[in-house]
Amino acid sequence: MTRTVPGRTDHVVVVGAGLSGLAAALHLLGAGRRVTVVERDLSPGGRAGLLERGGYRIDTGPTVLTMPHLVDEAFAAVGESLSRRVDLVPLHPAYRAQFADGSSLDVHTGAEAMEAEVERFAGAREAVGYRRLRAWLEQLHRVQMRRFIDVNFDSPFGLLTPDLARLAALGGFGRLDARIGRFLHDERLRRVFSFQSLYAGVSPARAMAAYAVIAYMDTVAGVYFPRGGMHAVPRAMADAAAEAGADLRFGETVTRLERSGDRVTAVVTAQDRIACDAVVLTPDLPVVYGLLGRAPKRPVGLRFSPSAVVLHAGTDRTWPQLAHHTISFGAAWRRTFTELTETGRLMSDPSLLITCPTATDPGLAPPGRHLHYILAPCPNTALGPGATEWSELAAGYRHGLLTELDRRGLDGIASAVEEECLVTPADWQARGHAAGSPFSAAHTFTQTGPFRPRNLVRGTVNAVLAGCGTTPGVGVPTVLLSGKLAAARITGGDRRPRSAARPSRERRAV
């Protein structure tokens, strides 16, 4: 039986109003708990924040939304729905892939459209391979979601289910690159279905084939964009939580936790002391372990994912070859991952994610203007340049990035920039992200599933972790699941009438 928080759990404090914290809050409210959410920023979102500058509304975190039913599941816990709160636009194409040889491919999530595009791009044999790959991805997702992703593990023995044999039979424990190569021979196509392993912090040559489930999310399940930007999702979740009775406290930084034996009894901020029966902690792992006063013992220290430099650019023009999401691949491939995950060097031939959200929602920029989000993966600060070095590297890196984009067809981009914000690993580190990476612990085998830092920490019986550092891992869908799984640790499936959980406003103000 899955472990749950013992004793009274009537009032739960959630530390952090990011996607995981808000998902946890909604599931807890739906289970009849009184919930207080404490957030250091002045608005919800966490990594999925919002920056307003010069009339531009800039998403500061993820730009890709997949598996929106997981957001809807959190809303449904309080009798709400995603469709009532957020206007989601399905993206067609989900991505546009551009390659160093000048070729390009539109990635469609519809089977027939993508098969036709693959045939146009690489021929009939590759189209047949794509059909086989898609069927495999669908099988992989079915096997993994119920038993390996949307599940709380108490020990590695939790893996021992019939689905483990099914996953092995599907080749899930082989290497991602090799498995994709069984279906597709065109090296460019193989990139499209394997680059997602970088989200997990591992190169395709070393990642388990099971991580092709991320490619399923991107290329089969569909990619969406919320009108108003990605920040519209956490904003709507926060509004729904408040209407369901949550006490949302913004602009309050948690300074310490009060304890009595092995229980947290209160969350202390610079402004207040909030007594509680249980706590959900969503900051990055080093911050959480600092608050708890201990870190789990591991035979080998945690390895963290690569980081990223992000240039948010408000421009007076855009370029017709860009889709909403464009992946601009450099000529190098294996060398790129070696630089990011082994040598710690900045990419010598970068592959870049370029997002142009105004292609879907022009209201995110002033009339006639456009917004571009340019993400360049880079080594984290434990492996590559440190936070202090980035203060010297930043300006030169920005110049080199814009020069490279100009060379790849975004003519005159440097002169088109009117407003900008450059984010480097130093900025991520200043936000409390270990090794200057917003992607937390890498998904190596020893940091995956039951081997990943668990959401229950030995020595504290009523604190539960959520977020990308714990189970199930990195990415918007998995972070949402982490909130749901954290709530389940507290409620144990106990669903009380919601009316019993809604204190009066006077009581919540105490």
Side-chain angles (χ1 to χ4, degrees):
M1 187 172 179
T2 304
R3 288 174 57 203
T4 57
V5 171
R8 180 174 173 173
T9 60
D10 293 351
H11 180 207
V12 183
V13 175
V14 178
V15 178
L19 292 171
S20 64
L22 293 168
L26 289 168
H27 284 288
L28 287 165
L29 288 161
R33 298 321 194 261
R34 183 161 70 99
V35 177
T36 301
V37 180
V38 183
E39 167 59 49
R40 65 180 175 181
D41 291 335
L42 298 176
S43 61
R47 287 171 171 85
L50 175 68
L51 174 65
E52 298 189 70
R53 181 172 292 181
Y56 293 91
R57 293 176 56 82
I58 300 169
D59 283 316
T60 60
T63 62
V64 179
L65 178 62
T66 61
M67 311 289 278
H69 70 275
L70 297 175
V71 188
D72 195 47
E73 192 176 48
F75 280 115
V78 295
E80 267 288 354
S81 70
L82 176 62
S83 61
R84 286 179 56 190
R85 294 277 180 173
V86 179
D87 181 12
L88 275 191
V89 181
L91 297 182
H92 303 295
Y95 294 94
R96 176 166 295 151
Q98 296 180 337
F99 302 92
D101 64 1
S103 61
S104 67
L105 170 82
D106 281 353
V107 178
H108 300 284
T109 51
E112 292 183 3
M114 188 58 184
E115 184 179 335
E117 177 69 354
V118 170
E119 184 168 353
R120 177 202 67 79
F121 181 76
R125 185 180 72 161
E126 294 298 88
V128 171
Y130 164 73
R131 286 200 302 269
R132 294 173 52 236
L133 171 62
R134 185 183 179 99
W136 178 72
L137 291 173
E138 290 172 339
Q139 287 180 289
L140 197 68
H141 173 257
R142 284 195 297 271
V143 168
Q144 286 196 78
M145 182 56 73
R146 185 166 56 96
R147 294 290 189 182
F148 303 107
I149 298 176
D150 189 6
V151 62
N152 276 315
F153 285 106
D154 288 328
S155 82
F157 293 109
L159 289 171
L160 301 179
T161 72
D163 282 331
L164 183 68
R166 296 187 184 102
L167 183 59
L170 287 169
F173 296 107
R175 295 303 180 193
L176 175 62
D177 196 28
R179 179 57 58 168
I180 297 296
R182 292 193 177 195
F183 302 102
L184 301 171
H185 297 89
D186 189 294
E187 191 264 348
R188 298 167 300 171
L189 285 175
R190 290 168 67 172
R191 291 189 188 191
V192 169
F193 291 95
S194 63
F195 82 90
Q196 296 88 350
S197 71
L198 186 59
Y199 299 159
V202 189
S203 74
R206 295 192 173 189
M208 288 190 300
Y211 280 105
V213 73
I214 310 175
Y216 167 86
M217 297 175 186
D218 276 4
T219 67
V220 177
V223 176
Y224 299 82
F225 186 73
R227 291 201 186 277
M230 285 288 288
H231 181 72
V233 173
R235 171 59 70 184
M237 293 173 75
D239 289 344
E243 291 173 22
D247 179 8
L248 303 180
R249 303 188 181 192
F250 296 110
E252 294 193 28
T253 299
V254 173
T255 57
R256 62 187 177 90
L257 304 176
E258 285 187 8
R259 303 171 63 106
S260 177
D262 58 4
R263 297 188 72 88
V264 174
T265 56
V267 174
V268 181
T269 73
Q271 292 88 353
D272 201 0
R273 175 189 179 276
I274 309 165
C276 62
D277 301 310
V279 61
V280 176
L281 302 169
T282 72
D284 212 14
L285 293 174
V287 177
V288 166
Y289 294 150
L291 288 171
L292 291 173
R294 63 177 297 160
K297 294 180 179 178
R298 298 179 64 91
V300 179
L302 285 173
R303 175 184 164 191
F304 290 91
S305 295
S307 185
V309 174
V310 180
L311 176 62
H312 302 283
T315 62
D316 63 11
R317 75 196 80 159
T318 191
W319 292 264
Q321 66 268 39
L322 295 179
H324 185 114
H325 294 299
T326 302
I327 306 169
S328 175
F329 288 106
W333 186 238
R334 290 183 180 272
R335 185 178 81 227
T336 293
F337 288 99
T338 299
E339 290 167 342
L340 290 173
T341 64
E342 296 180 30
T343 66
R345 296 178 181 173
L346 300 178
M347 287 186 295
S348 53
D349 184 13
S351 290
L352 308 169
L353 172 63
I354 306 164
T355 298
C356 181
T358 44
T360 302
D361 187 355
L364 295 172
R369 298 300 189 260
H370 301 273
L371 188 56
H372 298 87
Y373 168 113
I374 300 139
L375 183 148
C378 69
N380 63 45
T381 56
L383 183 65
T388 55
E389 293 174 80
W390 271 107
S391 61
E392 299 178 1
L393 288 171
Y397 192 90
R398 172 197 174 276
H399 175 76
L401 188 59
L402 291 173
T403 300
E404 181 63 18
L405 289 169
D406 190 280
R407 189 187 69 79
R408 295 187 186 186
L410 273 60
D411 304 327
I413 184 171
S415 62
V417 176
E418 295 183 331
E419 293 284 347
E420 67 178 281
C421 176
L422 183 72
V423 183
T424 74
D427 299 298
W428 301 121
Q429 189 160 311
R431 292 280 296 171
H433 302 319
S437 172
F439 308 112
S440 196
H443 282 265
T444 60
F445 178 79
T446 57
Q447 296 180 179
T448 295
F451 307 110
R452 196 164 182 81
R454 293 182 200 160
N455 55 9
L456 290 180
V457 180
R458 187 173 299 171
T460 307
V461 298
N462 66 336
V464 188
L465 276 55
C468 59
T470 186
T471 186
V474 177
V476 171
T478 40
V479 161
L480 290 164
L481 284 173
S482 80
K484 171 189 169 184
L485 294 172
R489 289 289 197 186
I490 292 169
T491 64
D494 168 30
R495 297 187 64 85
R496 306 172 188 173
R498 285 185 54 232
S499 59
R502 290 194 181 189
S504 68
R505 291 190 177 275
E506 290 75 17
R507 182 182 170 193
R508 291 203 308 270
V510 174

